[in-house]
């Protein structure tokens, strides 16, 4: 058993800066520092601000023979 509070506990996740504001992350809202920053990020996802552009398939189709 642990004999005292002198033992160092290794966190499961390393502390990282919040991706929104740069403050240290909190365990409850990881990787964010607060519920506010977490909600800001969620709002961006819901509005479609994070979009990966796709290729334009109108000019190309997979059924066309190679030229």
């Amino acid at each position: 058993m642990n004999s005292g509070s002198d033992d160092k506990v290794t966190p499961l996740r390393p502390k990282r800066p919040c991706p929104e504001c740069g403050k240290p992350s909190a365990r409850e809202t990881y990787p964010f520092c607060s519920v506010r920053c977490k909600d800001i990020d969620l709002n961006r996802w819901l509005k479609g601000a994070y979009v990966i552009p796709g290729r334009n398939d109108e000019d190309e189709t997979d059924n066309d023979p190679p030229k």
Side-chain angles (χ1 to χ4, degrees):
M1 288 199 240
N2 291 344
S3 60
S5 62
D6 295 336
D7 296 345
K8 188 168 185 158
V9 177
T10 304
L12 295 176
R13 298 178 179 146
K15 286 209 172 203
R16 293 185 172 174
C18 175
E20 290 299 320
C21 68
K23 293 180 184 175
S25 59
R27 183 177 186 161
E28 298 82 26
T29 56
Y30 189 84
F32 304 98
C33 69
S34 65
V35 173
R36 178 183 175 273
C37 285
K38 189 175 183 178
D39 287 345
I40 289 170
D41 184 70
L42 176 61
N43 186 40
R44 288 186 181 142
W45 277 104
L46 296 175
K47 286 189 337 184
Y50 298 133
V51 177
I52 299 172
R55 67 176 204 189
N56 188 357
D57 285 338
E58 292 176 5
D59 296 333
E60 300 175 23
T61 59
D62 291 337
N63 296 334
D64 291 341
K67 296 179 181 176

